[in-house]
Amino acid sequence: VYNIRPPLPAVGGNEGVAEVVEAGAQVSDLQKGDWVLPAAPGFGTWRTLAVAPAASFIRVRSDIPAEYAATVSVNPCTAYRMLRDFVALKPGDVIMQNGSNSAVGVAVIQLARRMRVRTINIIRDRPDLSYVLSRLTSWGADLVFTEDEIRGPKAREALAKLPKPVLGLNCVGGTSAAEVARLLADGAQLITYGGMSRKPVTVPTGTLIFNDIVVRGFWMSRWIATHSRAERSAMLDDLLEMIHNGELEANIETVPFARFSDALLRSKQGYRTHKVVLKFE
Ligand SMILES: NC(=O)c1ccc[n+]([C@@H]2O[C@H](COP(=O)([O-])OP(=O)(O)OC[C@H]3O[C@@H](n4cnc5c(N)ncnc54)[C@H](OP(=O)(O)O)[C@@H]3O)[C@@H](O)[C@H]2O)c1
């Protein structure tokens, strides 16, 4: 279902970080030892070596953990854009999201906290719920409910104490999107960026008619294609600075390429606690 499908055979891998081992004689802006990210989606990062024009890469700082550099360009950037490009958020505003323990979701929580924007978060019920709750709360989540709890009295009481959310972020689709939509403020925007349930986005009719909800989508690859390299570098620098300062964390597990099949199996499992990152050497 993904919108980018390279002609086969192809090297997999949309994102990652690489170290420059050699620069061509006419390359002036990259040198041996620099860390680089692919400039365009679909580079094919599951490899030990690549030869490409210097313009295919964006140099990034190398004083942060490699697994953070490897995973900054899609999920944290998506969170960054969605908090800036749709609603002019101000301190004290409230936003709401589902899939809140996803890599995008945890970045949303931490970036919102820096903006002094409060977050209402929905996650799936799961065996290690208390661990996930404590992680999200430590990153600044204001309220966290399971998909069942969000309909109940506990959530109703807590939500009544907050202004209604002006922005909703939908990673899941199906009825989970409906739960976000029905709790939004009049005129709020509901942004769909993922479809993890593989179900169509359901939006209650009344939220469109009576509450004037605006339903839109976001795709990082489209943003990259329609914005300058300088704009992208500025965003990456901002996020990497936060990572360097310990203001933006993620749960990441690095698996060596020798355990490739183990990594694939783990990444397919639901209720993961960590993002699985492959290390090629
Ligand atoms: N539009 C864009 O530009 C853009 C950018 C980045 C990511 N995305 C999309 O955003 C989504 C999240 O990406 P990610 O890398 O942040 O994800 P991730 O870290 O792998 O997390 C996946 C999330 O989806 C939840 N989930 C999985 N299956 C589900 C189901 N059947 N019903 C409800 N929730 C389910 C997981 O919950 P559990 O922990 O309970 O399993 C978890 O919260 C993906 O669909 C991805 O393609 C889109």
Side-chain angles (χ1 to χ4, degrees), residues 2 74-75 78 99-105 123-126 147 171-172 192-198 218-221 269-272 275:
Y2 207 69
V74 178
N75 292 328
T78 298
S100 307
N101 62 321
S102 68
V104 176
I123 57 176
R124 291 201 290 181
D125 200 2
R126 54 190 289 148
E147 288 181 342
C171 160
V172 176
T192 292
Y193 68 94
M196 291 304 298
S197 70
R198 297 177 181 245
F218 176 78
W219 190 31
M220 194 65 224
S221 297
Q269 285 162 357
Y271 310 114
R272 270 188 291 111
K275 198 71 162 172

Side-chain angles (χ1 to χ4, degrees), residues 266-279:
R266 293 173 61 70
S267 69
K268 274 163 59 182
Q269 285 162 357
Y271 310 114
R272 270 188 291 111
T273 51
H274 289 71
K275 198 71 162 172
V276 183
V277 170
L278 275 176
K279 185 169 185 184

Side-chain angles (χ1 to χ4, degrees), residues 6-16 42-47 260 278 280:
L8 299 174
V11 178
N14 194 37
E15 57 175 335
F43 183 89
T45 51
W46 291 3
R47 58 169 96 214
F260 176 78
L278 275 176
F280 296 81

